[in-house]
Amino acid sequence: MKTLREYVQDADSRGVAIGHFNISNLEALWAIFTAAKNLNLPVIVGVSEGEEDFVGTEQAVALVKSFRETYNYPIFLNADHHYSFERVKKAIDAGFDAVIVDAVTLPLEENIALTKKCVEYARKVTAKTGRDIMVEAEIGFIGKSSKVLDEIPEGVSEATMTTPEDAKAFVDATGVDMLAPSIGNIHGIVRSGNPRLHPERVKAIRKATGVPLVLHGGSGTMSEDFINCIKEGIDIVHINTEIRVAFRDGLKKSLQNNPDEVAPYKFLQEGKCAMQAVIEARLKLFNNL
Ligand SMILES: [Zn+2]
């Protein structure tokens, strides 16, 4: 099986993107795996610090590994938005395939220092174990929470988008494998509509840095914007809020329609299927299917 790095390079050369979807439970993992397998596409499972604490660090690794090995399938695990060296190290030590160091709210020099420390640790583990661990970092604030919002998060504007110069300096200073820039994207879904993305900025940052780019806050984004940004150098797209909403709504409907059902595997089914439908639709879009 190819490594995650090879799948990312492959997506880059073909002008498509790998889907990254977060889990809080086993239902979400089944939904992601089934959707990806139906389309025969590699896929990345993410857990934020909160999701990781809920699922369990070692348990998240074991669960994803069980799908990978049982089905001989390219499914990878990423530590999504980890905020400290200790949390990044814990994920790497447990067996995650990739980590995201999120120090974007710190002053730039501190972001660089923390990211560099995480990259150095990942390289050390790779040298010792042969596991290829990818490290991603962020510059340019895009908001924090994957939920439904009344307005664009404070501190995010066109003026705070990542510049190609800053991106290049950051990648050169840290040696990071992938970069998540701010290109008009935000975490979460804004009720009145998410802002438009800037594909020309993606192109300039990709060219300046030479590393694969990751689009966070994909939920609520227009299809046309996805397609144009993927064409210009986005190789991974994160979707979280959309599948959270799908699960919640599916579960709500199921409980309302079957108030006497007490078997979790029955009343959770509808939430799982709703997530799977969203994931399949997004994967088709990211891969021109
Ligand atoms: Zn994110």
Side-chain angles (χ1 to χ4, degrees):
M1 193 184 297
K2 283 192 271 192
T3 62
L4 175 58
R5 191 182 304 272
E6 289 166 333
Y7 278 107
V8 171
Q9 279 159 0
D10 188 50
D12 190 66
S13 65
R14 293 193 299 118
V16 299
I18 302 174
H20 174 294
F21 305 93
N22 291 62
I23 64 163
S24 292
N25 55 21
L26 186 55
E27 292 75 69
L29 184 51
W30 269 110
I32 295 164
F33 170 71
T34 310
K37 193 165 184 294
N38 284 346
L39 299 167
N40 196 24
L41 294 168
V43 74
I44 305 169
V45 173
V47 283
S48 64
E49 287 187 2
E51 289 160 343
E52 182 186 322
D53 290 340
F54 187 74
V55 175
T57 305
E58 284 73 20
Q59 288 69 25
V61 173
L63 285 168
V64 171
K65 190 169 166 232
S66 80
F67 280 89
R68 183 147 68 196
E69 291 181 354
T70 305
Y71 300 94
N72 188 31
Y73 201 83
I75 181 167
F76 301 96
L77 180 62
N78 178 43
D80 192 15
H81 296 285
H82 278 40
Y83 297 101
S84 64
F85 175 72
E86 290 68 34
R87 291 298 305 242
V88 166
K89 181 180 182 298
K90 187 180 174 198
I92 290 175
D93 291 347
F96 281 57
D97 302 295
V99 292
I100 299 178
V101 196
D102 182 344
V104 83
T105 56
L106 300 179
L108 185 61
E109 313 80 72
E110 289 176 43
N111 186 352
I112 289 172
L114 177 58
T115 302
K116 202 172 163 199
K117 190 174 173 189
C118 294
V119 171
E120 281 165 3
Y121 185 70
R123 300 293 180 260
K124 211 167 83 184
V125 173
T126 296
K128 209 158 85 183
T129 64
R131 282 168 50 210
D132 187 10
I133 300 149
M134 295 192 84
V135 182
E136 175 188 331
E138 286 196 45
I139 52 167
F141 186 58
I142 60 161
K144 268 183 125 164
S145 53
S146 297
K147 59 185 182 189
V148 181
L149 307 162
D150 290 319
E151 52 194 27
I152 293 171
E154 208 186 314
V156 182
S157 71
E158 284 204 16
T160 60
M161 286 199 310
T162 309
T163 67
E165 297 74 31
D166 285 352
K168 183 181 174 358
F170 185 86
V171 170
D172 288 350
T174 58
V176 80
D177 299 301
M178 301 189 283
L179 189 69
S182 163
I183 49 134
N185 51 323
I186 56 157
H187 281 128
I189 299 178
V190 182
R191 281 184 220 276
S192 58
N194 281 41
R196 298 296 302 265
L197 303 184
H198 296 254
E200 73 292 342
R201 186 66 70 106
V202 172
K203 186 180 183 178
I205 295 171
R206 179 72 179 86
K207 190 162 172 257
T209 60
V211 296
L213 302 179
V214 182
L215 179 65
H216 284 243
S219 295
T221 298
M222 286 173 63
S223 299
E224 185 195 336
D225 285 8
F226 273 130
I227 291 166
N228 290 330
C229 288
I230 290 169
K231 223 184 282 170
E232 300 297 0
I234 292 290
D235 296 325
I236 296 174
V237 180
H238 281 231
I239 299 284
N240 191 0
T241 314
E242 284 178 4
I243 60 173
R244 287 180 164 184
V245 170
F247 181 67
R248 195 268 319 263
D249 290 352
L251 179 59
K252 210 155 110 184
K253 209 167 112 197
S254 164
L255 291 171
Q256 274 162 359
N257 293 343
N258 310 284
D260 297 325
E261 184 57 67
V262 296
Y265 76 91
K266 290 184 181 167
F267 67 68
L268 288 168
Q269 191 70 20
E270 201 159 333
K272 186 184 79 174
C273 291
M275 277 191 280
Q276 190 184 317
V278 171
I279 296 162
E280 275 198 45
R282 284 316 195 186
L283 286 174
K284 280 182 182 166
L285 180 70
F286 303 158
N287 288 276
N288 307 320
L289 297 173

